Amino acid sequence: MTQTTHTSPSAGKQMLSEQVYTHLREAIMRGDHAPGDALKPQDLAKEQGVSLAVVREALVRVVGEGLADRLPNRGFAVPAYSDRRWQEIAEARRTIEPVMLRMAVERGDVDWEARVRASHHRLTRTPAYVAEEGEHYSSAWAEAHRIFHRTLLEGCGNLVLLETFDRLWTASELARRWSAHRNPDRDGAAEHRRLEEAALARDADTAAQVLTQHLTQTAAALTDRPHHEPTNEA
């Protein structure tokens, strides 16, 4: 006798919500929705062929990740370049991460050195951009980038600080993508190389300084005029 498995309505709705959430998150990360763009539930529901309830559930999750704003009486929207949160996140990272890196340089063992070198090698060998993923850097490069930065700091040995890094990294992912797009002439590869070299040379002062500059440039690109945007000056 054949047994038929039925999916409950609530489970089916949860699956749909997960699919819509994943689609929306990836679309924002790819740059399909520009900074400040409205995210209209009705349009998203029609596009995805789902109910408004499913779309709203997905939107609430995206808001929770800092990838969208919920505006009073105005629905949902992608955050703006000028949103103060990006500068506050950058300030928090500049306060915490250089301290963690100093600790890592002082405490990290030979295994940590090997992991730093390996993670940097993977970062340099991962294509930053692939045509099918839109105008922002690829998901594979984004993950290699995260692993390199986290590996640098793991030598500190403080799990509470590393959990803080994880939260701040997730919160700043959209800002990093926008920053790279607005400042295409930036030599991020050279910055990462200097970070690796200073850390492995056990030069805590230089490593912390390079990291602070690295984080500052990312935030600055969201406030300064991008290099590739024309001005109105004569």
Side-chain angles (χ1 to χ4, degrees):
M1 182 176 179
T2 302
Q3 184 175 359
T4 303
T5 301
H6 296 284
T7 302
S8 69
S10 60
K13 180 184 175 183
Q14 186 175 358
M15 289 174 60
L16 282 174
S17 179
E18 183 69 29
Q19 291 171 6
V20 173
Y21 157 75
T22 300
H23 172 84
L24 181 57
R25 188 182 193 281
E26 291 178 350
I28 293 172
M29 289 295 191
R30 281 196 308 268
D32 294 353
H33 301 284
D37 274 2
L39 298 170
K40 300 178 180 178
Q42 295 87 346
D43 293 348
L44 294 170
K46 183 177 180 180
E47 175 190 325
Q48 296 297 305
V50 297
S51 69
L52 276 175
V54 168
V55 169
R56 289 186 181 279
E57 191 173 306
L59 280 166
V60 167
R61 289 183 63 185
V62 173
V63 169
E65 290 190 351
L67 301 180
D69 290 329
R70 190 166 193 169
L71 309 175
N73 303 318
R74 289 192 292 159
F76 300 87
V78 178
Y81 284 133
S82 59
D83 196 311
R84 181 170 173 77
R85 84 183 70 181
W86 310 128
Q87 304 307 318
E88 291 178 342
I89 292 170
E91 182 180 52
R93 293 186 65 194
R94 287 195 301 267
T95 301
I96 295 170
E97 292 180 34
V99 174
M100 293 175 68
L101 185 54
R102 284 181 177 277
M103 294 167 63
V105 168
E106 294 169 1
R107 300 176 180 179
D109 57 14
V110 173
D111 287 339
W112 168 75
E113 291 182 359
R115 293 196 304 274
V116 168
R117 192 172 296 279
S119 63
H120 182 253
H121 178 74
R122 172 171 293 200
L123 179 62
T124 62
R125 294 302 181 92
T126 303
Y129 297 93
V130 293
E132 58 268 26
E133 290 198 37
E135 62 186 9
H136 296 308
Y137 51 68
S138 71
S139 56
W141 188 90
E143 180 62 6
H145 186 215
R146 183 191 70 81
I147 290 173
F148 171 67
H149 275 270
R150 196 183 198 281
T151 302
L152 274 172
L153 303 182
E154 282 174 353
C156 77
N158 188 310
L159 294 179
V160 175
L161 286 173
L162 287 168
E163 288 171 359
T164 301
F165 164 82
D166 291 338
R167 290 194 297 272
L168 290 173
W169 185 271
T170 298
S172 59
E173 178 60 24
L174 192 56
R176 268 190 301 279
R177 291 172 182 247
W178 288 347
S179 176
H181 184 63
R182 286 166 63 85
N183 188 6
D185 298 328
R186 180 181 175 185
D187 193 351
E191 295 173 33
H192 292 137
R193 184 174 62 253
R194 288 195 294 273
L195 270 173
E196 181 209 26
E197 291 171 351
L200 296 185
R202 301 290 177 158
D203 185 345
D205 288 341
T206 298
Q209 181 182 18
V210 171
L211 180 56
T212 299
Q213 292 171 346
H214 184 66
L215 297 173
T216 298
Q217 285 206 61
T218 298
L222 299 181
T223 56
D224 298 339
R225 184 182 297 278
H227 293 179
H228 63 289
E229 283 187 3
T231 69
N232 294 323
E233 299 172 358

